[in-house]
Amino acid sequence: MYDPSMRVLTVLELLQAREEVSGAELARRLEVSPRTVQRYVARLQDLGIPVEGRRGVGGAYRLRPGFQLPPLMFTGEEALALALGLRALTHLGLHALAPAAQGAGAKLARTLPHALRADVQALELSVQLDASPWVVGTDAALLADLLRAVRGACAVEFTYTARSERATTRRADIYRVVHVDGRWYAVGWCHLRAALRSFRLDRMQDVAVLDETFTPPPDFDAVAYLREAMPEPAAHEVSVWLEAPPEALRGAVSGWHTDLTPEAGGTRLRTRRDNLRSFAAFLLGLECSVRVDGPPALLQEFADLQNRCVAIQSGQAAESYSWSL
């Protein structure tokens, strides 16, 4: 539910977006009476915004032709959302945009009224965002090219290096670009494979947007496709209890095919893993107590790690330990 000041700003937003808006539509959109809409319009006029009204049946409001509002007018929540969004860019792997984010943040601060500017400055001094170890760096220029291709429904050509494969030249119709579990993916129709495919942006190079266009499928859900196309590993079903709340583990534990639920003052972690040795080493790196409830093979991996640590401490050679991380 809007408060009165938000409703006044909403009237202004609607008038900026449309050449003319009827009083009846404003009343319906804001869930108020036509008389209340008149009061909101009067409030805008008191603020020096030239709102013109046409009386009678089908009466409507519009901004005076040629009138331009200041470039930025934000509520406190909008300013906070923008500032947080700019701070979070590097957490999406877009490190190249950090200077641009700093510049945009400076412009935002200069444009805001004093009270809002103070709130944003407090955010800069008080809020820390810890980067997730799972985030993979992404070329911002490459992402921009793909977004341009999606917007124009243009095919793209690029060099792609899949896991354990040589680089190949691909042509694809990209339907969506999505960020999932620390990585960016482009999802669309691959001309080489003649099938729907996903491409990791960190494995793409030399992207060229082509003049060739296509018709994308309506309401395509790229996240649903990725979850179906990238099934969870099936080798070992893991269940461990961690002496830390779920919120303390988010960002440290990959969320892909991993379930974190509160349990007994800590967190129950359920997942499936192919490589239990690397997962055991990962669990050792968490700064909390761990109890393994399954599988038994994971306990054996911890025993092997213990033996290796003892060997290292005693100065023995480590050649006898085989690692396949």
Side-chain angles (χ1 to χ4, degrees):
M1 180 65 69
Y2 294 118
D3 61 29
S5 60
M6 286 297 297
R7 287 193 176 100
V8 171
L9 290 174
T10 301
V11 170
L12 180 57
E13 291 292 336
L14 291 171
L15 291 175
Q16 290 182 90
R18 305 265 292 278
E19 184 176 342
E20 188 176 84
V21 186
S22 70
E25 181 178 353
L26 289 173
R28 178 178 57 80
R29 295 281 293 269
L30 299 174
E31 300 178 347
V32 297
S33 67
R35 185 176 294 275
T36 302
V37 169
Q38 293 174 6
R39 290 203 300 269
Y40 294 158
V41 170
R43 176 59 178 154
L44 290 173
Q45 292 170 334
D46 291 341
L47 293 172
I49 298 174
V51 181
E52 300 177 343
R54 174 162 52 82
R55 297 181 179 276
V57 178
Y61 299 96
R62 69 172 186 176
L63 291 175
R64 180 186 302 161
F67 175 75
Q68 292 185 342
L69 291 168
L72 293 174
M73 295 183 68
F74 297 119
T75 66
E77 289 185 349
E78 289 171 341
L80 182 63
L82 287 169
L84 280 173
L86 291 171
R87 291 285 301 276
L89 273 177
T90 56
H91 296 263
L92 296 176
L94 302 173
H95 304 287
L97 292 182
Q102 293 176 0
K107 291 177 182 178
L108 174 65
R110 287 198 305 270
T111 308
L112 294 174
H114 178 75
L116 291 183
R117 187 184 311 154
D119 289 344
V120 170
Q121 290 173 343
L123 180 146
E124 294 287 341
L125 295 174
S126 306
V127 174
Q128 290 181 289
L129 300 176
D130 188 21
S132 167
W134 301 103
V135 173
V136 176
T138 299
D139 185 343
L142 186 151
L143 175 61
D145 288 338
L146 289 175
L147 295 178
R148 180 161 54 90
V150 172
R151 184 177 65 249
C154 297
V156 295
E157 192 171 80
F158 54 93
T159 301
Y160 193 69
T161 307
R163 181 184 298 180
S164 303
E165 292 184 12
R166 294 191 307 172
T168 57
T169 299
R170 303 289 188 97
R171 178 174 295 197
D173 303 337
I174 303 300
Y175 302 151
R176 292 286 188 276
V177 180
V178 61
H179 186 266
V180 173
D181 196 40
R183 291 187 176 93
W184 286 94
Y185 295 87
V187 181
W189 184 263
C190 176
H191 292 212
L192 178 64
R193 306 302 185 198
L196 196 61
R197 288 289 187 269
S198 64
F199 304 97
R200 278 177 44 176
L201 267 64
D202 59 301
R203 294 177 176 174
M204 300 172 69
Q205 292 182 319
D206 305 322
V207 172
V209 180
L210 308 177
D211 294 331
E212 175 186 341
T213 60
F214 61 91
T215 301
D219 303 322
F220 180 74
D221 190 336
V223 174
Y225 167 78
L226 283 173
R227 292 195 180 279
E228 183 176 345
M230 301 167 61
E232 57 185 321
H236 302 282
E237 186 172 336
V238 175
S239 178
V240 299
W241 180 83
L242 306 173
E243 193 180 21
E247 56 270 19
L249 298 170
R250 302 201 195 289
V253 177
S254 172
W256 191 251
H257 294 304
T258 299
D259 181 46
L260 299 175
T261 56
E263 180 182 309
T267 300
R268 170 64 57 185
L269 184 155
R270 293 183 177 87
T271 186
R272 301 182 76 91
R273 287 293 185 270
D274 284 321
N275 191 329
L276 289 180
R277 178 162 295 188
S278 63
F279 190 68
F282 160 74
L283 290 175
L284 285 176
L286 296 176
E287 296 183 358
C288 64
S289 297
V290 179
R291 185 183 74 231
V292 177
D293 295 321
L298 181 57
L299 287 172
Q300 182 58 50
E301 294 296 345
F302 277 108
D304 291 346
L305 285 173
Q306 180 182 20
N307 292 336
R308 184 169 189 263
C309 290
V310 170
I312 292 174
Q313 286 181 317
S314 62
Q316 296 178 17
E319 285 81 358
S320 59
Y321 296 94
S322 174
W323 289 80
S324 57
L325 297 181

